[in-house]
Amino acid sequence: GDLEGAETEARAAMSSGNRQPEPRLILADVFTARGQPNLAIDLLTRSLQEGVNDTSIHAKLAITYVWIGEFDKAEEVLRGFEETNDLGILLAFGKLALTRQLLSDAQGWFERALAVDPTNPTIKLNLGIIALAEGRLAEAKVLLEEAVAGSPGSFEGWNTLGAVHARQGNAEGALAAWERAHEINPTV
């Protein structure tokens, strides 16, 4: 939660000649958290141009493009990585497909990611979102319960679980999940 401290440390690591991706990824996260995704994109693009060519940089850049609605640019960043088993890249492909409402494609990407990391709550959240969108409520409920168990601070997980409970006619479960989501992010 200390964005200024994170920025200071990331910039210090980068200025010392550190060519690892981590400081750049942290700084990109700081920019995104501040609502400055274009600064994150500039940083990540410059990092790739400077030879910090790590799949984590590609994945973060693609996700940032997805976040601002630049789907073609995200696809361009991911081009050539279709056969990878890198978790970040698989998640980026899945998020891009999900955002484009290509649910079958997204399902495939997230299932590949789940094979890499079977307990990852982000993957289960996204698979739960797809199951909900396709009306597979029982499956969505299980996936989302696993997602929030693995990441209890997930606003999106609790909010989506509330929607599943509501669609199942479980008002009490829906209210409990939505109250939890509201505790996590009272501004939404």
Side-chain angles (χ1 to χ4, degrees):
D2 179 12
L3 296 179
E4 290 176 24
E7 179 178 3
T8 300
E9 288 185 32
R11 287 188 185 280
M14 289 168 55
S15 70
S16 71
N18 183 331
R19 301 203 32 92
Q20 296 300 312
E22 289 79 13
R24 290 155 178 79
L25 296 170
I26 290 168
L27 189 54
D29 284 341
V30 167
F31 291 146
T32 301
R34 288 183 179 153
Q36 301 170 310
N38 289 326
L39 291 178
I41 288 168
D42 291 345
L43 169 70
L44 296 167
T45 301
R46 197 170 52 254
S47 296
L48 290 172
Q49 292 167 346
E50 292 170 357
V52 184
N53 194 9
D54 189 273
T55 56
S56 60
I57 299 283
H58 288 273
K60 180 75 70 178
L61 181 57
I63 289 290
T64 307
Y65 275 130
V66 168
W67 189 65
I68 65 169
E70 296 281 349
F71 306 136
D72 291 341
K73 289 183 180 179
E75 190 174 327
E76 184 179 316
V77 169
L78 294 172
R79 192 169 294 124
F81 288 102
E82 294 82 2
E83 300 305 316
T84 189
N85 283 326
D86 179 86
L87 185 62
I89 296 289
L90 294 172
L91 287 170
F93 270 118
K95 205 61 168 166
L96 175 61
L98 183 59
T99 305
R100 286 183 159 170
Q101 295 294 306
L102 303 171
L103 300 183
S104 179
D105 290 349
Q107 177 95 24
W109 289 112
F110 290 127
E111 286 176 354
R112 281 182 58 189
L114 195 61
V116 173
D117 186 354
T119 62
N120 186 298
T122 300
I123 299 167
K124 292 186 179 198
L125 168 64
N126 285 293
L127 287 170
I129 290 168
I130 293 167
L132 173 61
E134 293 180 340
R136 296 179 280 121
L137 300 180
E139 181 183 347
K141 181 177 178 275
V142 169
L143 286 162
L144 292 165
E145 286 173 343
E146 291 175 0
V148 297
S151 182
S154 170
F155 168 81
E156 189 176 14
W158 286 107
N159 192 47
T160 309
L161 182 58
V164 169
H165 283 301
R167 294 244 330 251
Q168 290 179 321
N170 178 357
E172 186 177 315
L175 286 174
W178 286 331
E179 285 173 358
R180 181 69 181 109
H182 182 72
E183 289 171 10
I184 293 166
N185 188 352
T187 63
V188 177

